[in-house]
Amino acid sequence: MAATAEDHGRAGTRIALARLGVGLAQGVALWLLSDLYAHQFWPTLAAWVPAAAALVLAYAPLIVVGGLGRLRPLTLAVWALVAALVLAAFGWHDLDAGIWSGAWSPDRRLPAVQVFVFAAVFVFVGHHLVGPADQARRLIAPYPVYFDWAWKDAVQLGLSALFVAVLWAALALGSALFKLIGIDALEKLVSQSWFASPVTFVALAGAVQLTDVRVGLIQGMRTVGLVLLSWLLPVMTVIVLAFLAALPFTGLAPLFGTRAGASTLLSACAVLIVLISAAYQDGQAPVPVVLRWAGRAAGIALVPLTLIAAYALALRVGQYGLSPARIEAIACAVVAAGFAAGYGFAAVRPKPPWMRPLELTNVAMARVVMLLIVLLFTPIADPARLAVDDQVGRLMSGKTAPAAFDYQFLRYQSGRYGADALARLLALKGSARNLAIAASARASDVSAPAATPTPAPTPLSQPITVYPAGAAAPKSFLDQVAKGPMGGRSTCIASVQPNCEVYVLDLEGAGSPQVAVNDPYNEDASTLPLEVFRQNASGAWAKSNDLVVRCADAIAALRAGHVTLTPSPRRDLRLAGRSFALAPVQTGDCPPAH
């Protein structure tokens, strides 16, 4: 028995060390990725590579942290690999088509927020289908195993996130305490990304480990949470039944007139599903009579709620066609319909045990949710592609008049699909209707050729001072600035502000010059804040870095072009014996000369 306990302790130690190691590796990898993103050190990489890496590094290590000690090593490895490939595909498609970010941009490197949210749902649901099946050694595990995994991990994640938040609150308080006595070292330390990212994910992994070995604590908190949720079921059921009872007297017109009727109804369906599941739990414990009747009434109420939501969506689509938001709502309605069918059947089924068919419904719909997410994040059911095809089809078929068509949707809200469709509309020829469509598209498209030529941009090389002496600002840079603001302080060139300085130097040691622009409003003569611009593969100039040069001798060296680069990977600048990082704006005094 002692040997068994000792072996168990050693195994627990190995799992703890492995989790902390994975958390540290995840934090360091995400810091390196963010550092590369901030400095744009990947000009030769395809745009989707950092996007795919961001999704994979954000979630795949969490699968490993959560699965260590609970999944068999082979199962864990296969599931983590499959999830990483799917997440990478999500990142690739989002950067390729811009499905969730509106207008597609060749300079965008990270997925949109929606991608991270849906990816989190995909990983959570998938993990709680794989884990119970592996534990039960069956493709479909018993429902109590699914229940135990999902609700235990939900509580565990919540506690772990709370632990990380409290840790950072403690660090912030400690920084403030030390600053009271004139010591700002801790404040500077916690503000560094190379410190913050590893600490956050090591703390998260440690919290998972601590809560994993305190099974009683997790079970107790889960029980309390489920009891509280379950007793909200009668309240929500009464509200929904009262709403349905009032509809014959009010009609559906007020509901549809809000333009948010379908989303509100689907949200009510989601709340009822969660509350019914909380009351049912794993199906083993007895359920009070009040909750049993409330659960049956709620299960039946799901059916009319879903039908009304679907009808509202159908009316809106029939009137205005598909849009990305309506396609997402349709996907939610499909999920709600599946739950309504299963829960409705369970509610009217008279045989005990109470609501037993919802077990199969929950397991089946979890797989449906994963499938729908995959379809939405691929060209098969991409919301932007479907919406563009439908809207353009309505335009070409005559359902939408050329003057009433939303060309801005194609340009700004439907990614690459919309841009391609707009180009096709601009090129239409032949019939009078086609010519009218092309004319309307051209009138709304600021990037289309204008009917009358525009005057050439005014040369800007005279009002600015270019360093070092004898250098000339690249014409392509000046032409791009003349066409419109490039963001940040670079507008001093476009508006010809006084004291506008341009530095043309090879600040990266790559053999191609970069352009640095000063802040004309800076009043500190000993500090020279600069924004650095570089030319990307398409020939466009974009901001790549910030640079702050401090001390008069270093500023003079920069203006004279006396710049050398350190051999470090970050290629710091050496000016008058001082080092300056080509990085986000620095703080502090002059760096020491040596």
Side-chain angles (χ1 to χ4, degrees):
M1 180 66 68
T4 302
E6 183 178 353
D7 292 341
H8 181 74
R10 290 176 178 173
T13 301
R14 289 195 297 270
I15 292 172
L17 292 176
R19 280 175 167 158
L20 293 176
V22 171
L24 178 61
Q26 181 184 18
V28 171
L30 285 172
W31 164 66
L32 289 174
L33 184 68
S34 65
D35 197 54
L36 291 174
Y37 179 76
H39 297 88
Q40 295 191 8
F41 283 167
W42 45 45
T44 61
L45 296 181
W48 64 268
V49 173
L55 284 173
V56 172
L57 292 176
Y59 296 116
L62 297 182
I63 293 175
V64 178
V65 169
L68 283 170
R70 302 181 70 191
L71 289 171
R72 288 178 293 177
L74 179 60
T75 305
L76 179 58
V78 172
W79 161 230
L81 177 61
V82 170
L85 292 174
V86 173
L87 292 170
F90 288 174
W92 164 77
H93 187 56
D94 180 56
L95 264 290
D96 178 67
I99 49 178
W100 302 101
S101 307
W104 179 84
S105 170
D107 296 322
R108 190 165 62 87
R109 299 288 181 176
L110 292 179
V113 174
Q114 296 95 321
V115 181
F116 282 97
V117 173
F118 281 99
V121 174
F122 176 87
V123 169
F124 185 86
V125 174
H127 192 71
H128 295 93
L129 290 175
V130 173
D134 182 71
Q135 177 179 321
R137 305 296 193 267
R138 293 166 51 182
L139 183 61
I140 299 179
Y143 185 75
V145 182
Y146 288 114
F147 168 83
D148 182 65
W149 270 70
W151 284 94
K152 173 182 177 295
D153 284 358
V155 174
Q156 192 175 23
L157 282 174
L159 290 175
S160 300
L162 179 62
F163 173 79
V164 173
V166 173
L167 170 65
W168 278 104
L171 290 174
L173 179 60
S175 302
L177 289 174
F178 275 101
K179 196 170 182 179
L180 289 176
I181 56 176
I183 300 175
D184 61 353
L186 182 58
E187 182 183 41
K188 291 182 178 179
L189 177 64
V190 299
S191 66
Q192 299 297 317
S193 59
W194 59 262
F195 175 83
S197 182
V199 166
T200 297
F201 287 97
V202 167
L204 184 63
V208 171
Q209 173 66 21
L210 291 173
T211 53
D212 205 36
V213 298
R214 299 291 189 271
V215 179
L217 172 65
I218 298 296
Q219 290 179 341
M221 295 193 66
R222 183 184 68 183
T223 300
V224 172
L226 288 171
V227 169
L228 293 176
L229 286 176
S230 63
W231 282 102
L232 289 176
L233 177 60
V235 177
M236 189 65 189
T237 302
V238 169
I239 293 173
V240 170
L241 291 178
F243 167 78
L244 293 174
L247 284 180
F249 302 97
T250 64
L252 295 176
L255 174 66
F256 295 157
T258 63
R259 297 189 177 183
S263 60
T264 304
L265 291 169
L266 292 174
S267 299
C269 291
V271 171
L272 286 179
I273 291 166
V274 172
L275 296 181
I276 294 171
S277 297
Y280 185 83
Q281 298 190 24
D282 61 358
Q284 307 298 311
V287 180
V289 175
V290 174
L291 296 184
R292 290 204 300 269
W293 281 107
R296 290 188 184 277
I300 295 173
L302 279 172
V303 177
L305 282 180
T306 304
L307 290 175
I308 297 171
Y311 181 55
L313 277 172
L315 286 179
R316 188 65 62 181
V317 171
Q319 290 173 331
Y320 303 106
L322 292 174
S323 68
R326 291 179 197 126
I327 293 170
E328 296 164 29
I330 290 172
C332 293
V334 170
V335 174
F339 276 108
Y343 280 43
F345 173 72
V348 299
R349 177 177 176 268
K351 295 191 302 181
W354 174 73
M355 298 287 285
R356 174 60 62 85
L358 72 78
E359 296 182 359
L360 178 61
T361 302
N362 287 347
V363 176
M365 292 312 299
R367 288 171 166 79
V368 171
V369 167
M370 291 190 67
L371 177 62
L372 286 175
I373 291 176
V374 170
L375 293 177
L376 289 173
F377 278 79
T378 60
I380 299 174
D382 182 287
R385 184 187 69 80
L386 295 178
V388 167
D389 290 348
D390 182 69
Q391 293 294 339
V392 173
R394 292 170 63 90
L395 174 65
M396 300 305 296
S397 66
K399 291 183 179 180
T400 304
F405 186 77
D406 187 2
Y407 300 95
Q408 304 300 317
F409 165 73
L410 298 183
R411 185 182 309 112
Y412 297 116
Q413 299 174 315
S414 51
R416 189 191 293 269
Y417 300 113
D420 293 343
L422 186 60
R424 292 194 299 270
L425 295 181
L426 288 168
L428 283 177
K429 297 179 181 179
S431 67
R433 180 176 178 80
N434 285 354
L435 295 176
I437 293 173
S440 298
R442 187 173 293 106
S444 67
D445 184 7
V446 295
S447 65
T452 58
T454 56
T458 303
L460 300 174
S461 57
Q462 297 302 319
I464 64 177
T465 304
V466 181
Y467 294 100
K475 183 178 182 301
S476 59
F477 177 80
L478 296 177
D479 288 345
Q480 183 173 333
V481 173
K483 294 177 181 177
M486 296 171 63
R489 295 181 294 271
S490 64
T491 54
C492 76
I493 304 177
S495 57
V496 196
Q497 295 289 341
N499 306 319
C500 193
E501 301 174 358
V502 171
Y503 296 79
V504 183
L505 298 164
D506 183 4
L507 301 177
E508 296 179 354
S512 57
Q514 289 78 49
V515 175
V517 182
N518 73 314
D519 179 1
Y521 301 104
N522 177 48
E523 298 179 354
D524 185 357
S526 65
T527 301
L528 180 62
L530 299 164
E531 286 188 323
V532 180
F533 294 82
R534 66 186 304 277
Q535 201 169 18
N536 58 30
S538 64
W541 290 86
K543 179 182 173 182
S544 59
N545 299 92
D546 286 331
L547 172 65
V548 176
V549 179
R550 303 178 187 275
C551 314
D553 55 351
I555 295 174
L558 178 68
R559 287 174 174 166
H562 298 157
V563 181
T564 59
L565 301 174
T566 65
S568 64
R570 293 181 60 151
R571 308 292 283 175
D572 290 350
L573 277 65
R574 297 282 293 172
L575 299 166
R578 310 178 193 278
S579 293
F580 297 89
L582 191 63
V585 176
Q586 301 179 14
T587 59
D589 300 324
C590 289
H594 50 76

